[in-house]
Amino acid sequence: MITFLSGGTGTPKLLRGMRTVLPDRELCIVVNTAEDLFISGNHLSPDVDTVMYLFAGILDTETWWGISGDSHISHELANRFGAGEYITIGDQDRAVHIARGALLRGGKRLTECTRLLCERMGVLATVLPMTDDEVATYVSTPEGDIHFQEYWVKYRGKLPALDIYRRCKRHPVATDEVIRALEESDAVVIGPSNPVTSISPILECEGVHSALRDQFVIAVSPFIGDRPVSGPAAELMEAWGSRPDSLGTSLLYQDLLDVFIQDVRDTIPVEGAQRFDTLMVDIDKSIELSRFILELIRK
Amino acid sequence: MITFLSGGTGTPKLLRGMRTVLPDRELCIVVNTAEDLFISGNHLSPDVDTVMYLFAGILDTETWWGISGDSHISHELANRFGAGEYITIGDQDRAVHIARGALLRGGKRLTECTRLLCERMGVLATVLPMTDDEVATYVSTPEGDIHFQEYWVKYRGKLPALDIYRRCKRHPVATDEVIRALEESDAVVIGPSNPVTSISPILECEGVHSALRDQFVIAVSPFIGDRPVSGPAAELMEAWGSRPDSLGTSLLYQDLLDVFIQDVRDTIPVEGAQRFDTLMVDIDKSIELSRFILELIRK
């Protein structure tokens, strides 16, 4: 069993390769939930959904969110009627939000909801939300403090990010399922996801840090030079007080890391880092990177 | 202007005829909201929706609820995933619930939400929820006290009804819009809807009774003999302590009524009642009944 820490784009791209070289049942994914929110009365868990859909074989891999070929009847009409849904929600995707909303309101933990949804979608990998507690990443902007989804989807990351922080009623605690997976895996891979908004929320969950201390941990940098491969990582890293590059990323993870992988083209050297082509432009590149990671683990 | 008191089936059938003999702009419909509920995080107002859809020309007139030709992608998948939605909700229908839920959460009154939705659907009739307050009809059954929608849709009215009552935080008050419509109309028609679950909730709203006292009020009985034309009226009338027939209905409305119309076939005579064919099996029958009502008003 290998466990991955994942956000919603970079790490799923890696997982798409991984599942061609390892059986789904041997993959466990601990997923960021700090972007979750209730929208239109139902529960959106963007990174969990992307990972579930990937393993269910229904992910839209053009956008890396939503269900391939989904219709948008309810979304388009609701907005014509004034709903103001700023996130595009497909009808099938909404069905997942509705079911999860109902299960949560019925008292189930997010972990249980996810397990039920995975079962019904035929997902064989183990998909674990990082916590059952509510926590959200907020961005301070000149327009006020807004949920990260609003910052990224509604404003397309175009507002100046002055600060970034987590909002929660109590400090989130990693679930027992997460701690067990981290401790019992053969290795843990920190995927090439946004360090501020995807990976750090997982590392911040109580129990994760100590569970990883004695583990073999490999991280893949989401940066090439001073730009992330995708998404809003650079500006947010700066707002967070980190260097927006591989060096900044490696420093964030340094007390956990055994191996750090950065792109062959990366102009910001990280001492002791392994170099590989991390730009997963297609599934073949994902498979090559997956094989490289597995070799490092087996050594 | 003629104002109608309406539930979700009998009166809309009459309205379908009315709108062929009078322009939509001259029709005002005060609609029961005691069957409203939040379902899957959004706001269902079954009778308001039926009336809006009728005037928007999109009502499914096979079932007299929902949108004609609607798809059920989100409903079917959500239930496969454990949502437990016991009411069939089409994707377009859901869009209306989503928009209304969002508008209500945004602080709009139900009356304003309905006006906005009607505008965007091109509805020219005036559709007024009876109140902006929350009130729900509950049925006491051996399984416990349940919302009327649950009794009627989930259990298909097959549980014994021991009692029936309204549940509300404060006694519902008719909106100013409703009072003005009732007072300023040329006449008020109490449509052939369920007296217990559709009409009485409207009459119970504070202000309605006195607004109707000096009005010309015509009621159409929803019963023929001891059976209602459709729906669960008979058993519920009994649970409510009323005779389940035209006589019981006329007694409920007696201090308001100028004219009571009952079916030509009705074996339960009501003194002074007008007789007409009230069984609206098709639109022609609805038109004939509409013309008859208009003649009575113009006399």
Side-chain angles (χ1 to χ4, degrees), chain B residues 81-133:
Chain B
F81 289 153
E85 264 184 358
Y86 63 84
I87 298 176
T88 305
I89 301 173
D91 296 307
Q92 295 178 54
D93 198 14
R94 188 186 303 282
V96 173
H97 306 172
I98 291 171
R100 189 167 38 225
L103 293 166
L104 286 171
R105 279 189 286 268
K108 292 226 183 312
R109 299 187 297 134
L110 183 60
T111 302
E112 296 172 291
C113 299
T114 307
R115 191 181 50 75
L116 278 169
L117 288 168
C118 281
E119 263 177 35
R120 287 168 191 173
M121 286 186 205
V123 170
L124 300 178
T126 305
V127 181
L128 298 176
M130 64 186 197
T131 181
D132 290 322
D133 298 326

Side-chain angles (χ1 to χ4, degrees), chain A residues 40 42 71 73 80-82 120, chain B residues 40 42 71 73 81-82 120:
Chain A
S40 294
N42 293 298
S71 56
I73 298 165
R80 212 187 310 154
F81 290 153
R120 286 166 192 174
Chain B
S40 296
N42 294 298
S71 55
I73 299 166
F81 289 153
R120 287 168 191 173

Side-chain angles (χ1 to χ4, degrees), chain A residues 60-93:
Chain A
D60 183 337
T61 49
E62 294 294 313
T63 56
W64 290 87
W65 54 265
I67 292 174
S68 177
D70 207 351
S71 56
H72 297 89
I73 298 165
S74 57
H75 175 69
E76 283 169 13
L77 200 58
N79 276 352
R80 212 187 310 154
F81 290 153
E85 266 185 357
Y86 63 84
I87 298 176
T88 305
I89 301 174
D91 296 308
Q92 295 178 54
D93 198 14

Side-chain angles (χ1 to χ4, degrees), chain B residues 53-75:
Chain B
Y53 297 165
L54 174 76
F55 283 98
I58 57 174
L59 179 67
D60 183 338
T61 50
E62 294 295 312
T63 56
W64 291 85
W65 54 265
I67 292 174
S68 175
D70 207 352
S71 55
H72 297 88
I73 299 166
S74 57
H75 175 69

Side-chain angles (χ1 to χ4, degrees), chain A residues 226-254:
Chain A
D226 61 355
R227 302 302 313 164
V229 169
S230 69
E235 192 180 6
L236 296 177
M237 285 284 271
E238 282 179 333
W240 214 43
S242 272
R243 290 178 61 122
D245 57 25
S246 287
L247 185 54
T249 304
S250 72
L251 289 172
L252 284 175
Y253 307 156
Q254 64 181 348

Side-chain angles (χ1 to χ4, degrees), chain A residues 14 276-278 280 285-293:
Chain A
L14 176 62
F276 203 81
D277 183 353
T278 65
M280 293 177 280
K285 290 288 178 193
S286 300
I287 294 171
E288 285 168 22
L289 179 56
S290 298
R291 289 203 173 115
F292 180 69
I293 290 170

